[in-house]
Amino acid sequence: MLTMKDIIREGHPTLTQKAKEVKLPLSKKDKQTLKLMMEFIENSLDQELCEKYELRPGVGLAAPQINISKQMLVVKAMDELNEVEHVYLMVNPKIISHSVSKTYIASGEGCLSVDREVEGVVPRHKKITVRSYFFDPDTEELTKKIIKLKGYVGIVVQHEIDHINGILFVERLVDELHDVEPIKFKELNINESEI
Ligand code: SB7
Ligand code: NI
């Protein structure tokens, strides 16, 4: 399994390089890497495993973050309404179009490869169209698709595709955004009896 030791940090040259296109059909190694990356995300979102292995929770991971400079990423995230879970294992993803309108996460972004607290927000496209191969870890099938994403999940995918292009969110920080609507998250009801 992957742990925080496997994740390279800001300052490592791999994080600034454009990752290489993955050759198809996928090699055994590349399939294994995609599965390991998804396993890390799942472990990091599991409270017990997260504590046991001192993982930082993440909703996505790009291969360059584990020092593999290839165009692969995984995402596992709920939308901002907490209604739909988006699970993607992408190979050679590309944003082929995007909205003119922008959005951002008001509380800012974070990154498993950035250990410091940073101030500011990251302007992102409100909607994106992504062309990619999608890997199914159960059947090991790889399918080329074009998907449209918006809102929070769209931001996560933009953050991961940035990693593939050698860009960290800290390079995109601005102090504030005028005339741009932030993502509206549905407030999660915290039941006091559960605390
Ligand atoms: C907030 C968190 C992420 C993306 C966008 C907003 C993912 C954080 C984990 N990663 O470092 C993945 O690259
Ligand atoms: Ni990141």
Side-chain angles (χ1 to χ4, degrees):
M1 66 175 270
L2 299 172
T3 65
M4 294 308 292
K5 282 205 253 321
D6 298 296
I7 296 186
I8 58 171
R9 310 303 158 92
E10 202 180 1
H12 193 296
T14 301
L15 290 173
T16 65
Q17 287 161 12
K18 185 176 160 64
K20 288 225 155 44
E21 224 175 85
V22 179
K23 293 211 181 80
L24 304 184
L26 285 181
S27 66
K28 274 211 164 123
K29 193 85 189 267
D30 290 339
K31 288 179 187 178
Q32 192 56 37
T33 300
L34 282 160
K35 289 182 189 180
L36 274 173
M37 286 164 59
M38 183 53 82
E39 184 198 51
F40 173 86
I41 290 304
E42 287 171 348
N43 291 347
S44 86
L45 297 172
D46 177 309
Q47 211 180 328
E48 271 182 34
L49 293 174
C50 186
E51 281 168 26
K52 183 166 177 201
Y53 297 109
E54 298 183 331
L55 308 175
R56 258 183 73 190
V59 287
L61 185 68
Q65 292 182 276
I66 52 168
N67 203 15
I68 296 176
S69 196
K70 291 188 178 186
Q71 296 180 21
M72 302 194 286
L73 66 85
V74 302
V75 166
K76 191 181 174 90
M78 295 300 294
D79 66 9
E80 59 269 37
L81 298 177
N82 210 36
E83 285 173 351
V84 184
E85 187 179 48
H86 292 253
V87 180
Y88 303 117
L89 295 89
M90 298 191 200
V91 175
N92 298 338
K94 197 175 163 54
I95 295 174
I96 54 171
S97 69
H98 61 77
S99 60
V100 173
S101 56
K102 302 209 168 262
T103 188
Y104 64 103
I105 299 173
S107 57
E109 296 187 15
C111 181
L112 296 167
S113 299
V114 176
D115 288 325
R116 59 200 170 96
E117 283 292 321
V118 291
E119 277 186 33
V121 294
V122 185
R124 298 289 189 186
H125 308 302
K126 193 168 180 172
K127 296 178 184 175
I128 54 172
T129 303
V130 179
R131 184 180 62 218
S132 180
Y133 287 92
F134 293 83
F135 181 62
D136 181 328
D138 300 320
T139 64
E140 299 201 339
E141 273 177 316
L142 196 66
T143 316
K144 193 177 187 174
K145 273 188 246 178
I146 291 174
I147 60 165
K148 286 177 190 267
L149 296 169
K150 58 178 171 20
Y152 175 62
V153 177
I155 289 181
V156 175
V157 170
Q158 288 173 74
H159 176 116
E160 305 313 335
I161 291 179
D162 265 356
H163 279 303
I164 277 170
N165 290 318
I167 298 164
L168 290 177
F169 81 101
V170 291
E171 298 168 55
R172 295 196 185 276
L173 287 171
V174 297
D175 284 341
E176 53 197 335
L177 282 165
H178 299 288
D179 310 315
V180 181
E181 279 272 357
I183 304 279
K184 291 193 197 79
F185 288 93
K186 182 183 169 196
E187 294 179 37
L188 289 170
N189 280 317
I190 299 166
N191 187 336
E192 278 184 55
S193 68
E194 287 172 4
I195 297 174

